[in-house]
Structure formats: C-alpha cells, structure tokens
Amino acid sequence: MEEISALSSEWRKNGIGLPPSVRMRPSLRPPIMAPPTGDHQMEGNQMKTLLANTTALILVLQLSAGTAYAASARLDMLIDQKYPELEKVYKELHANPELGFHETRTAKRLAAELEKLGFEVTVGLGAGTALVGVFRNGDGPAIMLRTELDALPMEEKTGLDYASRVQVPATQWPGNSDETAKVFVAHSCGHDIHMASWLGAAQLLVEMKDDWHGTLLLVGEPAEEIGGGATAMLKAGLFEKFPKPDFGFAMHVNGDPAGKITVKDGAFSGNSDTFDLTFKGRGAHGSAPHLSIDPIVQGGPFRHRYPGCCEP
C-alpha cells in the first residue's frame, strides 16, 4: 500500500535530500507521550509533533542550532494558537476521504488554504487533482514539502463523531468492474494527518517568514496508494515548471509514541510496483489439439502457485 513514490526516487536521482546537518539533529520539541493507539488524543499529539518537527527542521537549514532552539518556544506558541482551526481542517479531511485520482474536494480545500497564505497555486499538473503551491521569500534554498491526498477503500469503524461514512462507486478502485457496487472510503493510512500537518507547517513557515529566506514548494500527490500520481506530475514537468528543490521532506505517521520522529536520508520503506505477464497460445484444429498451445493450461497452474499475484 505504501509507495515511497516516484517523487522520492526522483529526489535521489536529482541530488535532492536532507542535508547532513539535519539528518542527526535531535527534535526541537520535547517528546509527547501518547495514550494507546486508536485514542483521538494520539492523533492530535502526532499532528502537533509533525508540525513542530517539520517546521523546525526547515528552520535549522538556515539558522544556527542555538537560534533554532530559541525559535522553538515561539513555534510552540504558534502551534497552540493555530491548532484549533487546523484540527477542524483535519476532521473535515478525515470525514470526507477520496480515492486516488478522485481527490477533487480534497485538492480544492487545500488549494484554498494555500491561496489564503499567499502561495501561487496550481491544480491539475499531470493529473486532475495534483496540487502544487509555491511561496517565494527572497534568495535562498528551495525546499519541498510533500503530502499524499488519497484514502483507501475501507470501512471506518472507530465510532468517532467525525468518522467517515463515505461510499463511492467501486469502479473508482482499480480491479473493480461492477458498476452497481459501492465501497466505503476511509483515511486508514493517516494521509489526513499528513495533509493537516503539511498545511500547518506551511502556516507556521509563512508566519515566521522573517526568520528564513528561500522558496517553499508544497506538493500534494494524488493516487499514492495505487501509484501513478507522482509519476504523472514528474512527466508533466514538476521540477521544470516549478523551482527545483534543494531539499525535500516527506513524512508518515506510524505506531510509535507521539513525540518521536525518525529522519533518514534515502529510501525508508518499500514501494509498490506492477508488471504484465502474457501467456501466449497457439490455435489449432479441433482434430489436432496436440498442435495447439492452450494459454489457460499455462496460466492456471501459475495463478494457483502464486495466489494473490494476478488480476485476470
């Protein structure tokens, strides 16, 4: 399900990554111990931690360690001020998930928020819901923040008052051809937290724009779960039409206690991929079956030996 995505591999090909000074930098925010997984408070703590660390890591690129630590107190204050409204955005995204290449409402909502902040916003680069925002703040490095936009075809059973009850035509998910069927949709992979944290980091950096100089490139990647969104953006000229980032940040929540952040240069987890395998047959007269090659006879044992690998 997880795709480090074409964006990540392309960063490495183009020399885009985390600088050495950032790779080993400790968190600039005190750890927040979280209650057990599934508790709403843990989601809030995770989002606050991602907000603080993403923003702090970017500030470290231009500030000395001492200055960055001093700025962290202001960062905490700003997070506390902005968090209530940001949480509303998170709950709205959580309650209204959309599948890959269908993130129309999601992209529109985030685009509107970026425009409020003064970003130059483009929607539809390579894919209808792909999102790019650029904020120029003088001379300095270009830094990219990336988030996924899509959700999964799963039914949410959390019982939260903002739980998703969204259902869409099953054909929106690859491999489903029944036009009468519907599937539930939920942000089971945490992309709602990623988007809210991404937006919050943008808000904080704009608020603290006197403390840094350079360009922010915010990328909203569609269809991360099924693959193809990042590739479409790259083929459409993401790094040619917009400032090529010197450094790129992507993030993902996990089951660790809120307050912990792991930073790693290069590949961090696996990615999904697909390939086509064709069994070629040969026709013959019914009276001479021994002259034919039956592709069903070939393909049947293969599918039996490797269950789950094939879609007819």
Side-chain angles (χ1 to χ4, degrees):
M1 311 294 282
E2 216 46 72
E3 179 197 24
I4 278 282
S5 85
L7 277 174
S8 293
S9 60
E10 197 68 17
W11 296 348
R12 295 193 296 277
K13 291 177 186 176
N14 289 276
I16 302 168
L18 293 177
S21 61
V22 173
R23 291 172 199 154
M24 304 306 295
R25 182 77 62 185
S27 169
L28 299 186
R29 182 177 176 87
I32 305 170
M33 297 309 294
T37 302
D39 191 294
H40 168 59
Q41 184 64 34
M42 181 170 185
E43 291 182 344
N45 286 340
Q46 285 177 326
M47 192 154 67
K48 284 187 177 181
T49 302
L50 288 171
L51 276 171
N53 281 287
T54 302
T55 310
L57 285 169
I58 293 173
L59 290 173
V60 166
L61 290 173
Q62 296 200 9
L63 304 177
S64 67
T67 306
Y69 273 91
S72 67
R74 184 183 174 206
L75 199 57
D76 286 348
M77 179 190 69
L78 289 172
I79 289 173
D80 290 338
Q81 288 177 356
K82 295 180 178 296
Y83 189 81
E85 289 301 316
L86 197 60
E87 186 178 32
K88 291 180 183 179
V89 175
Y90 157 72
K91 289 182 176 180
E92 180 185 336
L93 294 170
H94 182 94
N96 297 279
E98 297 171 297
L99 296 178
F101 293 122
H102 296 276
E103 311 97 329
T104 307
R105 177 188 175 126
T106 302
K108 184 178 179 180
R109 183 72 171 88
L110 294 177
E113 292 295 329
L114 292 184
E115 286 175 346
K116 288 180 189 177
L117 296 173
F119 278 77
E120 304 164 17
V121 178
T122 300
V123 178
L125 179 72
T129 54
L131 175 62
V132 181
V134 179
F135 186 87
R136 305 177 194 277
N137 190 31
D139 295 333
I143 297 175
M144 178 174 67
L145 303 181
R146 165 269 193 188
T147 185
E148 317 94 320
L149 305 178
D150 57 332
L152 289 163
M154 298 174 67
E155 181 179 3
E156 181 175 352
K157 299 180 179 181
T158 61
L160 294 169
D161 59 1
Y162 57 93
S164 169
R165 301 309 301 162
V166 171
Q167 294 186 61
V168 300
T171 51
Q172 287 191 13
W173 189 256
N176 292 328
S177 58
D178 185 350
E179 296 184 356
T180 65
K182 288 193 172 184
V183 293
F184 284 97
V185 186
H187 271 300
S188 304
C189 201
H191 296 180
D192 47 352
I193 295 179
H194 299 172
M195 288 184 281
S197 301
W198 174 87
L199 174 60
Q203 291 176 348
L204 294 171
L205 287 163
V206 170
E207 187 79 25
M208 301 178 72
K209 63 183 180 181
D210 291 340
D211 295 322
W212 61 274
H213 299 284
T215 300
L216 290 178
L217 177 68
L218 265 68
V219 173
E221 175 189 347
E224 185 270 347
E225 295 290 356
I226 59 177
T231 300
M233 295 183 77
L234 291 167
K235 287 182 177 179
L238 173 61
F239 292 152
E240 291 76 40
K241 296 178 181 178
F242 299 93
K244 181 179 177 180
D246 298 291
F247 308 109
F249 293 85
M251 57 191 179
H252 207 294
V253 292
N254 59 22
D256 289 337
K260 177 181 179 180
I261 183 170
T262 302
V263 181
K264 183 179 183 298
D265 186 28
F268 190 79
S269 62
N271 73 289
S272 61
D273 207 346
T274 61
F275 65 92
D276 294 325
L277 180 62
T278 302
F279 294 96
K280 295 184 178 180
R282 184 174 65 197
H285 193 275
S287 63
H290 60 289
L291 299 178
S292 70
I293 297 176
D294 188 344
I296 296 177
V297 174
Q298 299 177 66
F302 182 88
R303 186 164 188 177
H304 178 74
R305 183 173 180 180
Y306 302 104
C309 78
C310 307
E311 291 183 2

